[in-house]
Amino acid sequence: MESKETNILLTFSIIGLLLLGNVGSAVAVKGNLNNNADFNDSVNCKPVAGSEAKVKNVIVMVPDGCSQSVETLARWYSGEPLQLDEMLAGAVSTYSADSVITDSSSAATAFATGFKTTNGFVSVGPRNDTLLTTLDEESMVAPYSPLATVLEGSKLEGKATGLVATSRVTHATPAAFASHVDNRNNESEIMEQMVYEDIDVVFGGGSQYLLPKADGGKRTDGENLTEVLLGRGYQYVDNETEMLALSSGKAWGLFAGSHMQPDIDRAEFAPEEPSLCNMTEKAIELLSEDKDGFFLMVEGSQVDWAGHANDPIYEVTDFLAFDEAVKVAVDFAEADGHTLVIIFPDHNTGGMTIGSYYDSEYDDTSVEDVVNPLEGMNITAAGVANKIGEDLSSDNIKSQLKTWWGIDATDEDVDEILSLKNNGTSLDYAISEVISRNYTVIGWTTHGHCGEDVPLWAYGPDSPAGYMDNTEIAEYIADKLRFDLAETNEQLFVEVGNVFSADEYQLNTIDPENPVLKIGDAELPVNKNILVKGGVTHELEGIVVYAPATDKVYIPTEALSLINETKINGKLKYDSNGKSKYDRR
Ligand SMILES: [Zn+2]
């Protein structure tokens, strides 16, 4: 493998530098390594420290949908520096293949796979008819083709892998690390792929996508994936106490049927759920048992929803809960010395500003002007709306706003809230809008996402710095963990039509919800990492992916060798290593 050769070269280079220790040899050594800028840097600066500082673990953390303004507001609100403040390292672009304003799935595809895609797509190639005019169609990957992720690449390197989120784990950001579909709303399929991805630790919400409708879930394919997880040796937990009791091994913990509660609402509405910080700490504890290292993605999923809702208290408290999780990750990284922590939002949401059209203070804005209105708020606007319930009387609205947000709302405030509500705005959005405008110095510009760059925070050996395209994050991680995503793609996703002629394989859709690829006497169910042949079930190192838009099926290279054990239909079109001779594009 190329990376091993590079390592050997590097070792020789370091020995050369140490033994000869003169500029001439250093220049010669540099010439040897000119094809790899990162190793060049190590050789130029401090080769010995560089090799000791090898990255073994990577923790990616995403406070979904926020900006530097949110960090600033959270700092004023908490009254002390944040963990993230020490880690500011650069900025990251956010645009997707088809829009200057990304959605979460295309953004996560970029930093999970290294490729930009179409909004709504999850780690598959972009449509080629909607590309931004600034993008070159030639440089894009094949539309709808699955794209290997840094989680999948880490797994092939023998590392443990984990996903932690406060949304359903099938939501866009975690989904993009462990599934391949052309519609982020296809969460049943996403869940099935995740279950069969052999991830070591998965914590978050969304258990409804594990169970069939008959058992109270949302699945229409009749599968009970909780049973599948148990059958595959996972521990399955659904509350904080059970999660904290986990001491080793593989685990799934889904703590809500759908999304988990906002951090500030947990005590009031779901005290049995763990915090993001506790999930992160437990995930690191379990994953760090693997001597080969680990890859973990942690998402503070709901910072984004606070932005969508223009809810200032939801925004700062979920961001601060994320910062607590960052502390845990950095503490581990500091003690470990071989852990790289990379943090960035996928995009901004809500366009929050400190200062607004309605702010009368401006040049005289005091800390109290910023902080005091937030201090009386004890649950999210959605929580207040929940407490208001069906009783939309002025008295009830005023009373709940007083109790939960410490606001002495006027009749005019209530009229504004009800007028928005009557025009189709949800009650929580209406409360946030009116109270933000009339009682805070905080401005909002949209209920949607924003197109600007986002901050990059980092900690650990070889941590990134400067301005990066969001696709470069994936390449950076793969490089630091010493694998090549192009090779991972080749290993995991061989297009069946490139290897077999049309009469050699068939996608059996007799059960349309559970399609099965048949090649000779081998059967490979779609969305699973399974090959059944001659009554024997083989677990593959990757999942079988079907792209309905192109009617193409993708299987891991490993499957080719298994199929080849008895030759079918004469000569197959791959070499003795089972490696496809054909470019899957
Ligand atoms: Zn997002």
Side-chain angles (χ1 to χ4, degrees):
M1 268 174 63
E2 194 182 307
S3 62
K4 274 183 193 147
E5 284 165 15
T6 314
N7 279 340
I8 292 165
L9 264 180
L10 179 66
T11 308
F12 277 120
S13 312
I14 292 164
I15 292 168
L17 273 174
L18 290 174
L19 291 179
L20 301 174
N22 66 54
V23 176
S25 71
V27 169
V29 164
K30 188 179 172 190
N32 283 342
L33 292 169
N34 257 348
N35 59 342
N36 191 320
D38 289 306
F39 284 126
N40 268 343
D41 292 343
S42 314
V43 169
N44 284 338
C45 301
K46 38 179 182 175
V48 176
S51 68
E52 279 175 353
K54 234 162 66 167
V55 178
K56 186 175 156 196
N57 313 310
V58 169
I59 304 175
V60 167
M61 303 185 76
V62 180
D64 199 297
C66 65
S67 68
Q68 203 105 47
S69 301
V70 178
E71 184 181 6
T72 310
L73 183 65
R75 189 187 311 113
W76 282 121
Y77 175 79
S78 78
E80 49 191 43
L82 308 182
Q83 173 64 47
L84 284 169
D85 292 346
E86 297 173 20
M87 301 167 65
L88 188 64
V92 185
S93 72
T94 60
Y95 66 93
S96 70
D98 67 332
S99 177
V100 167
I101 299 176
T102 192
D103 89 312
S104 290
S105 62
S106 53
T109 297
F111 52 75
T113 74
F115 293 100
K116 288 189 188 289
T117 194
T118 309
N119 281 358
F121 284 21
V122 179
S123 292
V124 298
R127 295 172 62 120
N128 53 16
D129 57 347
T130 58
L131 295 176
L132 290 178
T133 52
T134 49
L135 292 173
D136 171 19
E137 192 185 329
E138 295 296 301
S139 68
M140 295 286 119
V141 284
Y144 303 98
S145 63
L147 301 169
T149 73
V150 288
L151 182 146
E152 291 167 331
S154 301
K155 207 177 54 174
L156 293 184
E157 293 296 303
K159 292 184 186 297
T161 56
L163 293 173
V164 172
T166 54
S167 61
R168 295 190 292 265
V169 295
T170 46
H171 214 246
T173 308
F177 284 85
S179 67
H180 307 273
V181 296
D182 67 9
N183 182 349
R184 58 178 284 176
N185 298 320
N186 202 347
E187 292 184 62
S188 283
E189 208 173 341
I190 289 168
M191 184 61 99
E192 185 171 15
Q193 294 188 17
M194 277 185 155
V195 163
Y196 285 92
E197 277 269 20
D198 269 339
I199 306 165
D200 295 272
V201 175
V202 176
F203 290 153
S207 61
Q208 64 196 16
Y209 285 103
L210 286 177
L211 297 174
K213 283 195 162 161
D215 294 327
K218 294 230 168 201
R219 303 196 66 78
T220 54
D221 63 359
E223 304 215 34
N224 184 325
L225 297 178
T226 311
E227 282 174 10
V228 171
L229 286 171
L230 295 173
R232 290 167 80 99
Y234 283 96
Q235 305 161 86
Y236 184 84
V237 298
D238 63 7
N239 62 65
E240 178 173 40
T241 310
E242 287 177 4
M243 184 197 78
L244 293 176
L246 294 169
S247 59
S248 67
K250 295 163 67 164
W252 272 62
L254 299 189
F255 308 101
S258 181
H259 305 302
M260 295 175 70
Q261 285 291 327
D263 189 74
I264 194 175
D265 286 359
R266 186 171 54 254
E268 181 65 23
F269 295 109
E272 72 286 357
E273 288 182 4
S275 65
L276 182 65
C277 182
N278 282 346
M279 291 193 289
T280 304
E281 187 166 34
K282 181 55 73 175
I284 291 172
E285 181 192 326
L286 296 175
L287 294 171
S288 59
E289 286 175 8
D290 193 312
K291 60 178 173 28
D292 300 312
F294 67 86
F295 172 84
L296 170 65
M297 195 289 296
V298 175
E299 184 195 31
S301 317
Q302 304 194 20
V303 182
D304 175 62
W305 304 342
H308 281 296
N310 295 358
D311 179 341
I313 194 63
Y314 191 1
E315 184 94 78
V316 291
T317 52
D318 247 68
F319 190 83
L320 288 170
F322 178 80
D323 194 62
E324 288 297 316
V326 172
K327 271 192 197 107
V328 162
V330 169
D331 283 351
F332 173 83
E334 196 171 16
D336 175 71
H338 300 280
T339 301
L340 178 56
V341 185
I342 305 180
I343 306 174
F344 48 89
D346 50 350
H347 52 77
N348 186 23
T349 303
M352 192 205 78
T353 55
I354 299 173
S356 82
Y357 291 123
Y358 312 100
D359 178 4
S360 56
E361 304 297 331
Y362 259 86
D363 286 350
D364 298 318
T365 301
S366 66
V367 173
E368 291 70 28
D369 290 333
V370 176
V371 170
N372 285 1
L374 303 180
E375 296 218 301
M377 299 178 174
N378 295 313
I379 53 178
T380 61
V384 177
N386 184 333
K387 293 290 180 186
I388 290 171
E390 299 295 306
D391 178 4
L392 295 178
S393 67
S394 179
D395 281 353
N396 186 41
I397 292 174
K398 281 184 184 172
S399 153
Q400 301 298 347
L401 280 171
K402 178 68 182 166
T403 303
W404 296 103
W405 270 22
I407 299 282
D408 288 307
T410 64
D411 289 334
E412 289 73 33
D413 296 330
V414 173
D415 287 348
E416 279 187 71
I417 289 169
L418 288 175
S419 153
L420 284 166
K421 168 100 172 59
N422 292 336
N423 284 320
T425 303
S426 65
L427 184 56
D428 60 324
Y429 277 36
I431 290 169
S432 292
E433 180 176 334
V434 172
I435 302 302
S436 284
R437 184 165 63 222
N438 297 348
Y439 292 88
T440 77
V441 298
I442 296 162
W444 302 92
T445 58
T446 175
H447 281 294
H449 293 177
C450 313
E452 77 263 32
D453 303 335
V454 288
L456 169 70
W457 300 278
Y459 177 87
D462 286 353
S463 63
Y467 180 71
M468 298 174 85
D469 186 59
N470 55 3
T471 57
E472 289 177 313
I473 301 268
E475 292 159 20
Y476 195 90
I477 293 167
D479 186 48
K480 292 305 157 197
L481 293 179
R482 293 167 303 283
F483 60 86
D484 178 350
L485 278 166
E487 285 175 14
T488 312
N489 262 314
E490 211 171 288
Q491 192 171 342
L492 289 183
F493 303 114
V494 177
E495 198 226 305
V496 173
N498 279 344
V499 184
F500 298 98
S501 59
D503 60 347
E504 288 175 319
Y505 71 95
Q506 182 212 351
L507 188 70
N508 183 327
T509 54
I510 291 171
D511 177 356
E513 299 253 31
N514 294 293
V516 177
L517 174 68
K518 296 195 173 197
I519 308 175
D521 63 344
E523 297 198 348
L524 298 98
V526 168
N527 296 332
K528 297 179 167 57
N529 68 331
I530 284 174
L531 182 151
V532 184
K533 185 165 177 276
V536 181
T537 300
H538 303 270
E539 272 189 27
L540 304 172
E541 61 188 8
I543 54 171
V544 175
V545 174
Y546 173 57
T550 53
D551 200 28
K552 289 177 177 172
V553 195
Y554 301 83
I555 62 176
T557 300
E558 182 193 11
L560 299 178
S561 321
L562 289 165
I563 293 164
N564 192 31
E565 277 171 9
T566 54
K567 287 258 168 68
I568 48 169
N569 292 339
K571 198 168 177 296
L572 294 177
K573 303 185 200 81
Y574 51 85
D575 64 27
S576 56
N577 298 322
K579 200 153 196 174
S580 169
K581 289 175 188 165
Y582 298 85
D583 186 343
R584 68 187 185 85
R585 292 174 202 179

